[in-house]
Amino acid sequence: MKFTKMQGCGNDYVYINCLKEKIFEPAELAKKVSDRHFGIGSDGLILILPSIKGDFRMDMYNADGSRGEMCGNAIRCVGKYVYEHGMTSKTDLCIETLAGLKKLNLIIDNKEVKEVTVEMGHPIFTPKLIPVLSEKDYIIDEPILVNETEFHMTCLSVGNPHAVIFVEDVENFPLNLYGPLFESHSVFPKRVNTEFVQVLSPTEIKMRVWERGSGETFACGTGATASVCAGIWNQKTESEVIVHMIGGDLRIRYQKQENLLFMTGSAITVFEGDYYV
């Protein structure tokens, strides 16, 4: 099986062109290839498939084999993959995901995709649609008790569920302790991605993320988008923000009139090879 290892801001996945390869048990394969000691090593598995709704379809599996609706870093790499592998000559693409159709604009330099802007869609704050168990209309700066410590969270979906927690010092925050506790907390029936965010200025934040099914990752595109949106709703950030993560930076923009979120960042090919199943 031929594969390509790609990363966006250090959020790395194994990509398989399923227009050429046949994958019968993707969940099990995701666990095997993601293993950083006995496999290829990644945050998960991305399958590139044909689509009747868009130009291509992206199927995402986390490192534990669970399925994800959407990944902002991964979808940028899908755009780079299909363009640089000659599967399309278009620089404006529509990619089908479990979170709906996502529009991509490829930024080309000398026939190479340097950056990709993704239209991330409309933020969803209705608890039952995120989903979060709550009788309230919105969960904005709401207290939650985790390990006998009170945090304040803002919950939303940008294609997958997020809980954003603002902290004073994100670098020294005990993420390995609280990340799993948030992920499996009873108020999140489908688990949750949790972003711990330090506001540096109205146009700059620093973020660490615990992704459901993968643990702490170097970056999360949907998480960065959710964090900026939460910052706007909590009156902490402006509508265009640079998000600093372990693996690199993303630029997030909120277009208020259309209630749309946009993400721009890099997409990098690491290496290609053959994996023997």
Side-chain angles (χ1 to χ4, degrees), residues 59-84:
D59 274 3
M60 171 195 174
Y61 292 84
N62 296 308
D64 67 351
S66 61
R67 204 170 183 189
E69 298 92 341
M70 167 60 182
C71 175
N73 291 315
I75 202 170
R76 294 200 313 277
C77 291
V78 168
K80 180 182 178 73
Y81 185 102
V82 296
Y83 183 87
E84 293 187 357

Side-chain angles (χ1 to χ4, degrees), residues 165-240:
I165 315 294
F166 292 99
V167 298
E168 292 296 323
D169 180 7
V170 71
E171 191 170 335
N172 293 305
F173 183 82
L175 185 66
N176 288 333
L177 170 62
Y178 287 104
L181 297 176
F182 269 95
E183 178 183 359
S184 59
H185 198 286
S186 59
V187 301
F188 304 113
K190 292 187 177 180
R191 298 187 293 169
V192 75
N193 302 295
T194 311
E195 288 74 41
F196 299 90
V197 178
Q198 179 181 349
V199 178
L200 304 177
S201 78
T203 60
E204 199 172 4
I205 64 175
K206 184 185 287 188
M207 183 193 96
R208 289 174 66 195
V209 58
W210 185 273
E211 294 196 60
R212 58 177 182 169
S214 293
E216 182 174 15
T217 59
F218 275 29
C220 177
T222 57
T225 306
S227 295
V228 172
C229 197
I232 293 169
W233 276 62
N234 284 280
Q235 299 182 339
K236 295 178 182 291
T237 62
E238 296 178 0
S239 59
E240 293 192 33

Side-chain angles (χ1 to χ4, degrees), residues 83 90-91 106-115:
Y83 183 87
K90 296 166 66 174
T91 56
L106 311 182
I107 301 164
I108 312 295
D109 182 17
N110 195 28
K111 298 182 180 181
E112 183 180 352
V113 178
K114 292 295 186 182
E115 287 191 318

Side-chain angles (χ1 to χ4, degrees), residues 2 54 69 88 126 171 174 180 206 230 236 239 255 259 266 276:
K2 294 190 178 299
E69 298 92 341
T88 183
T126 306
E171 191 170 335
K206 184 185 287 188
K236 295 178 182 291
S239 59
Q255 200 164 293
N259 189 33
S266 63
Y276 298 94

Side-chain angles (χ1 to χ4, degrees), residues 51 53 56-60 67-71 75 94-102 104 158-159:
S51 171
K53 296 180 180 179
F56 300 94
R57 177 161 61 94
M58 177 182 88
D59 274 3
M60 171 195 174
R67 204 170 183 189
E69 298 92 341
M70 167 60 182
C71 175
I75 202 170
C94 188
I95 305 297
E96 181 186 353
T97 74
L98 284 181
L101 295 172
K102 302 297 178 184
L104 274 61
V158 286

